[in-house]
Amino acid sequence: MCVGCEEPISRERLRAVPSATRCVPCQTKFDKRPKTTPHENPEILKPKKRPKRKARDLSSVTEIG
Ligand SMILES: [Zn+2]
């Protein structure tokens, strides 16, 4: 029995996840719930800017053959 919609959970799902308490749609909704963390620091998500290094000079190509 699903705790979300109180409908029976499919046997296949229960076989895959015996401890499942929600049907697939309810579990999906549950997992997709936005997690709000009050201590979340957006600074951490910022990618560090790296100074671009000069590409190697490939003007001198050695001929093979
Ligand atoms: Zn459900």
Side-chain angles (χ1 to χ4, degrees), residues 10-49:
S10 68
R11 261 184 214 174
E12 274 182 32
R13 171 154 172 74
L14 280 176
R15 199 182 290 171
V17 191
S19 60
T21 51
R22 289 175 180 84
C23 63
V24 176
C26 285
Q27 185 64 57
T28 311
K29 267 189 218 169
F30 184 78
D31 287 341
K32 278 187 180 175
R33 278 194 314 181
K35 285 175 192 170
T36 47
T37 45
H39 299 294
E40 198 174 348
N41 191 356
E43 291 277 327
I44 297 165
L45 298 171
K46 271 187 189 171
K48 270 191 180 175
K49 258 200 175 178

Side-chain angles (χ1 to χ4, degrees), residues 52-58:
K52 266 191 182 176
R53 286 187 75 182
K54 257 195 179 176
R56 270 192 192 172
D57 191 9
L58 296 171

Side-chain angles (χ1 to χ4, degrees), residues 2 4-7 22-23 26:
C2 168
C5 60
E6 292 185 2
E7 275 186 43
R22 289 175 180 84
C23 63
C26 285

